[in-house]
Amino acid sequence: MEEKRLSTVAKSLTPSPIQELSHLAQRSNAVNLAEGFPDFPAPEHIKSAAVAAINSDFNQYRHVQGICDLVADMVKLTQNLTIDPSKDVAICCGQTEAFAAAVFAVVDRGDEVILFDPVYETYETSISLAGGVPVFVPLDPPNWSLDADKLAKAVTTQTKAIVLNSPHNPTGKVFSKHELEAIANVCRTRDILAITDEVCCVYSHQVYEHITFDGEKHISLASLPEMQTRTIITSSLSKTFSVTGWRVGWAISTPAIASAIRNIHIKLTDSAPAPFQEAALTALKCSSEYFVSLRRDYESRRDFVVKLLSRVGFHVAVQPLGSFFVFAEMPQLCPLSDVEFVKELIKQAGVVAVPGCGFFHKGSSGDGGTDHRYQSRYIRFAFCKSVKTLTEAALRIGNLVDASGSLRLFQP
């Protein structure tokens, strides 16, 4: 009876497999390599800034213009983009709300929005809530490269926007300059917007850095010719400072679109948490030493997890260059699906990861989704965890290794 009272939209939304498996992991006291949140403390001086803001009564609705000013400086120095911090930046409750508000600001019912498959699930949900139609363009495994012809063929007269997430969740790839130029070319020639989810930067004495590895440099799609006015950038400070619960993010676009995003944000939540906005000013001005150390530590953790997974039989085609995830392929002879494997990994090893099927969409290569042969072969592991957590996970997984050196779960 109660279900009949629900809207069609509410009925269409199902719990995330990440959430469901995390609940199972909690009941099993499993090591959590599923959710992409750091499990180590935020820097003390940033936490102190938040406490000081609370004690100074920054506890009411608030918009901290200083964040916008720092963001404007950031994109100028890193991407040579000139933006007006008073008009082009909207502060939101994290990147998730910034992205949703951006979609609500530009997508009408029936508009098509292109997503690159595999894709993080919240993008599709926001598009559907806006009445838009998600259109999936598959990235080609195992390196998850973008085929420009597939992208061009997916564009119709109804296409309103292309969503770009780089570094990419779940695969960890960083889109190449060639791939970015192909996306920009489609946007320019077909008059299409781009909505990007980009990793956070750190401010330090007029130097800004992105969390990328192996010397990789982040290139914003907005920095390409004629793309600044066609791009909505969304980002946050969540993982960079281990404060995923603070919910402080932003969107950058033209004055009209940024204003619409700001208005939608106000209608939905009124303002991001005031004391955390105030503390964000301290976070965004962290010392260069903090960021260098953070990047070095994350790169080391990535290497640790990649080596562990490769050693026990996984295939890692893409070395993550900027995300916090490793997307590993199970051996072809493994008798289990990705979901079955994760459940057994929880039960037998006490470690939880994410089955890759939740990121894929039905179809075969070239007709709206990744080739179905790949959709149940991948597992996503988060490495934004403490050394203690990763070491414990390695010990538990190691207990499932047989005499041949591979996981018993992989044996037919």
Side-chain angles (χ1 to χ4, degrees):
M1 177 63 182
E2 288 300 312
E3 187 172 338
K4 293 181 180 179
R5 300 172 187 256
L6 298 177
S7 68
T8 301
V9 170
K11 292 177 183 177
S12 70
L13 299 179
T14 57
S16 162
I18 301 176
Q19 295 173 327
E20 292 180 338
L21 287 167
S22 291
H23 293 327
L24 175 59
Q26 288 176 3
R27 294 195 297 271
S28 305
N29 195 30
V31 175
N32 190 344
L33 301 186
E35 292 178 287
F37 65 84
D39 67 349
F40 44 84
E44 287 296 330
H45 74 287
I46 296 175
K47 292 189 290 186
S48 295
V51 172
I54 292 172
N55 289 333
S56 298
D57 287 322
F58 290 110
N59 299 312
Q60 312 307 324
Y61 302 135
R62 185 169 172 78
H63 173 91
V64 177
Q65 180 60 36
I67 295 175
C68 303
D69 297 336
L70 289 174
V71 168
D73 290 343
M74 172 185 74
V75 297
K76 177 62 177 177
L77 286 176
T78 62
Q79 306 297 329
N80 197 31
L81 297 174
T82 300
I83 66 172
D84 184 338
S86 66
K87 297 180 179 179
D88 299 346
V89 184
I91 300 173
C92 298
C93 293
Q95 184 279 331
T96 300
E97 193 211 17
F99 180 88
V103 170
F104 298 158
V106 300
V107 174
D108 282 319
R109 184 164 298 279
D111 285 345
E112 295 177 356
V113 181
I114 291 176
L115 299 165
F116 297 122
D117 199 54
V119 62
Y120 185 53
E121 63 182 347
T122 60
Y123 305 152
E124 177 187 3
T125 299
S126 295
I127 294 163
S128 298
L129 288 174
V133 180
V135 175
F136 300 98
V137 172
L139 299 174
D140 292 337
N143 295 319
W144 309 109
S145 56
L146 173 61
D147 186 322
D149 290 336
K150 290 179 182 178
L151 172 59
K153 290 177 181 177
V155 176
T156 73
T157 57
Q158 297 301 113
T159 304
K160 186 65 173 287
I162 297 173
V163 173
L164 174 66
N165 169 215
S166 182
H168 184 253
N169 179 6
T171 69
K173 76 166 274 158
V174 171
F175 281 72
S176 68
K177 181 70 176 297
H178 178 74
E179 290 171 323
L180 295 177
E181 288 173 341
I183 297 169
N185 183 59
V186 169
C187 290
R188 289 190 296 259
T189 58
R190 302 299 294 269
D191 193 23
I192 295 170
L193 292 169
I195 306 174
T196 68
D197 176 357
E198 302 186 21
V199 69
C200 180
C201 295
V202 174
Y203 171 78
S204 175
H205 305 296
Q206 301 303 309
V207 175
Y208 292 87
E209 297 283 358
H210 286 82
I211 296 184
T212 53
F213 311 126
D214 300 337
E216 186 73 21
K217 295 295 184 181
H218 173 72
I219 301 173
S220 175
L221 188 65
S223 69
L224 273 58
E226 301 178 46
M227 285 304 296
Q228 182 173 351
T229 58
R230 299 180 184 277
T231 304
I232 306 170
I233 300 171
T234 66
S235 191
S236 78
L237 50 78
S238 292
K239 291 185 178 69
T240 307
F241 303 103
S242 304
V243 289
T244 58
W246 282 18
R247 313 317 298 147
V248 176
W250 51 84
I252 307 169
S253 191
T254 61
I257 293 177
S259 177
I261 292 172
R262 194 177 301 111
N263 290 336
I264 291 168
H265 159 70
I266 290 171
K267 297 297 189 295
L268 290 173
T269 58
D270 202 291
S271 75
F276 298 143
Q277 286 189 67
E278 195 67 25
L281 298 177
T282 298
L284 289 170
K285 295 178 182 178
C286 249
S287 70
S288 58
E289 289 79 9
Y290 167 77
F291 185 78
V292 169
S293 175
L294 179 72
R295 182 165 56 181
R296 182 179 58 245
D297 289 346
Y298 269 137
E299 196 166 320
S300 174
R301 291 164 188 172
R302 176 206 61 179
D303 293 345
F304 180 88
V305 172
V306 168
K307 289 178 182 178
L308 166 66
L309 297 176
S310 299
R311 188 167 61 245
V312 300
F314 280 98
H315 176 59
V316 182
V318 174
Q319 179 92 331
L321 293 176
S323 78
F324 304 93
F325 306 106
V326 177
F327 206 47
E329 183 180 7
M330 298 188 295
Q332 291 299 316
L333 295 179
C334 178
L336 304 177
S337 70
D338 55 345
V339 174
E340 293 168 338
F341 176 88
V342 169
K343 288 182 179 179
E344 289 302 313
L345 190 65
I346 294 172
K347 293 176 183 176
Q348 297 190 38
V351 176
V352 60
V354 179
C357 63
F359 302 101
F360 290 109
H361 296 81
K362 293 181 179 179
S364 60
S365 185
D367 68 355
T370 305
D371 191 323
H372 64 86
R373 292 173 297 175
Y374 295 96
Q375 293 184 5
S376 62
R377 305 303 307 167
Y378 286 85
I379 310 292
R380 192 193 76 173
F381 295 85
F383 60 83
C384 51
K385 306 296 178 180
S386 68
V387 172
K388 178 181 178 181
T389 297
L390 296 179
T391 301
E392 178 63 24
L395 289 172
R396 295 186 182 194
I397 291 174
N399 289 334
L400 293 183
V401 173
D402 62 18
S404 69
S406 66
L407 288 178
R408 293 196 298 271
L409 297 178
F410 285 157
Q411 304 306 316

